[in-house]
Amino acid sequence: MNFPIINSLISPDALKSFLRDNYEPCSKVTLLHFFQFGLNDTYVAKTKKRNFYLRIYRHSWRTKSEIEAETDLLVYLAKQGIPVSEPIGDNNGNIIQSLSMPEGNRYMVLFSEAKGTVLPMNFDRSYRYGKLVAGIHECSDNHPYDDRRFDIDLDHLIDRPIRALKKSFGERVDDLKYLTEIGNELSMKISSGLVKKKPQYGICHGDHHGGNVHFDKDGEMTLFDFDCYGYGWRAYDNAVFLWCRADFSDESKQGKAKRTKLWNKFLKGYTEIRDFPDDEIKRSYIFVAIRHIWLLGLHAEHQTYIGNNWMHDKYFERQIGFLKRWIK
């Protein structure tokens, strides 16, 4: 019996040969290895002079037009002097490759390397990162609206995730009830104070947790992974930075104080470039809880691809526990 495939893995050797034949900068690739599995597959291609990153988008995750919008934005930002990992075209100028795979078409894009590595957010890096995020928001307000991308609105952040989670909660009826009720409350708080207009609403990276920016030996930054880019509230985009500091920091008095100072340094950098009124800052705290709901929904929605053996009682206890502590 022939079983259908939902996600296949491409041979690194085959990809190395493809890059050598079709991308002049990669004509002398010495090594190509599988780097990371996630929503997409990432490979690293190494040459003597520089490295490249190759993303293979999962089948049905992003349409070709959505990917075109992502690469178009990156080209625009790079031209404006924003330090981002740029898409690289093949010898014919094609940025997106269509690959015929057992599960269906998948798309591939080659990106320039983000020099350096992910580093913990200290006070100086948080300040500089805030300036970078503000620069992107400021710059992208001049970019024409692109209807090929999605809205990072309340349906995307709350309603859709909760629908996905209903299948995963099992007998945890009280938790599902709590999540549904708190989702409605959070939606009302955002709807009553924010509008879908510039400058509050516009292009957002969508994933500014700090793991998508590299710092080189001189402290220079390069931002990458715009896969979650869409149109949303800038308060949400900034809140992702705060969410990561909150979700993965200790709850001691010292831990909370450090988290607050990191956030304040980020805001200091941001507001030196772009206005961020107190009302939006206050709503960033609401968006921390909303971001957490979105992440839980993402896990639930994609468990067919990433597995669900870790989505057990302790997982839900921790996630719901964080939400209750933060909201309290």
Side-chain angles (χ1 to χ4, degrees):
M1 181 176 179
N2 292 322
F3 289 94
I5 301 296
I6 61 170
N7 198 54
S8 56
L9 190 63
I10 301 177
S11 159
D13 287 338
L15 286 173
K16 182 168 69 173
S17 297
F18 182 83
L19 291 183
R20 281 177 169 175
D21 293 341
N22 294 280
Y23 289 80
E24 192 279 328
C26 297
S27 60
K28 296 182 180 180
V29 167
T30 57
L31 176 68
L32 189 142
H33 62 83
F34 182 55
F35 178 70
Q36 181 174 287
F37 167 80
L39 294 173
N40 305 298
D41 296 337
T42 305
Y43 296 77
V44 179
K46 296 179 178 289
T47 70
K48 289 184 178 180
K49 293 184 177 181
R50 55 179 174 153
N51 299 331
F52 303 88
Y53 282 79
L54 188 65
R55 179 190 292 164
I56 313 292
Y57 292 81
R58 198 184 69 210
H59 173 64
S60 77
W61 171 236
R62 298 287 184 230
T63 65
K64 186 177 182 180
S65 63
E66 285 176 328
I67 299 169
E68 286 172 340
E70 177 190 350
T71 57
D72 286 350
L73 176 65
L74 288 169
V75 170
Y76 169 79
L77 291 175
K79 287 181 177 178
Q80 305 306 310
I82 303 294
V84 294
S85 172
E86 300 178 54
I88 298 171
D90 65 12
N91 296 337
N92 295 315
N94 300 311
I95 288 179
I96 301 173
Q97 306 291 343
S98 182
L99 310 179
S100 179
M101 304 295 293
E103 64 270 33
N105 261 14
R106 294 181 65 177
Y107 299 107
M108 180 182 85
V109 177
L110 183 69
F111 292 92
S112 63
E113 180 182 21
K115 295 286 187 179
T117 188
V118 174
L119 294 174
M121 283 291 169
N122 59 22
F123 301 137
D124 178 64
R125 293 182 196 120
S126 297
Y127 163 75
R128 297 178 66 189
Y129 192 34
K131 292 184 72 171
L132 174 59
V133 174
I136 293 172
H137 289 168
E138 191 79 5
C139 175
S140 62
D141 272 347
N142 297 317
H143 187 264
Y145 176 75
D146 195 332
D147 62 5
R148 294 175 295 180
R149 293 302 287 196
F150 46 85
D151 278 293
I152 308 175
D153 56 12
L154 294 175
D155 179 68
H156 180 89
L157 294 171
I158 297 177
D159 299 340
R160 179 175 168 179
I162 290 178
R163 287 196 298 269
L165 282 163
K166 286 180 178 179
K167 301 175 183 179
S168 303
F169 269 91
E171 298 178 359
R172 303 181 70 88
V173 179
D174 290 342
D175 283 342
L176 180 59
K177 181 182 178 183
Y178 169 78
L179 199 62
T180 303
E181 290 175 350
I182 206 65
N184 290 332
E185 290 180 22
L186 295 170
S187 292
M188 291 177 62
K189 288 181 178 180
I190 295 301
S191 299
S192 63
L194 295 178
V195 295
K196 286 186 175 182
K197 294 181 180 179
K198 294 179 184 178
Q200 287 186 347
Y201 198 89
I203 286 176
C204 293
H205 176 277
D207 217 15
H208 282 305
H209 49 68
N212 288 325
V213 62
H214 278 180
F215 293 84
D216 67 14
K217 61 182 180 180
D218 298 318
E220 297 299 318
M221 295 174 290
T222 303
L223 186 65
F224 57 94
D225 196 358
F226 278 70
D227 186 42
C228 288
Y229 137 56
Y231 288 85
W233 289 283
R234 268 55 187 274
Y236 169 75
D237 217 20
N238 291 349
V240 176
F241 177 89
L242 176 59
W243 163 80
C244 191
R245 313 285 82 74
D247 189 28
F248 299 101
S249 64
D250 65 76
E251 291 298 310
S252 67
K253 186 176 180 180
Q254 294 81 0
K256 291 180 179 179
K258 181 179 180 182
R259 176 179 73 207
T260 300
K261 190 169 182 179
L262 289 170
W263 173 235
N264 287 337
K265 289 291 185 180
F266 177 92
L267 291 177
K268 184 177 187 298
Y270 189 93
T271 52
E272 285 182 7
I273 303 296
R274 188 174 185 275
D275 189 32
F276 195 46
D278 288 343
D279 185 55
E280 289 187 68
I281 293 175
K282 290 178 182 177
R283 280 177 169 75
S284 293
Y285 287 86
I286 300 172
F287 274 122
V288 167
I290 291 174
R291 163 69 178 196
H292 207 70
I293 292 173
W294 172 83
L295 183 69
L296 302 188
L298 186 75
H299 289 169
E301 191 173 354
H302 297 280
Q303 59 185 294
T304 302
Y305 300 91
I306 62 178
N308 67 355
N309 65 313
W310 45 277
M311 294 182 71
H312 41 58
D313 284 345
K314 287 186 178 180
Y315 165 84
F316 286 112
E317 287 167 7
R318 180 195 178 281
Q319 309 304 339
I320 299 298
F322 169 80
L323 275 174
K324 289 181 176 179
R325 288 194 304 273
W326 183 261
I327 290 169
K328 182 179 179 180

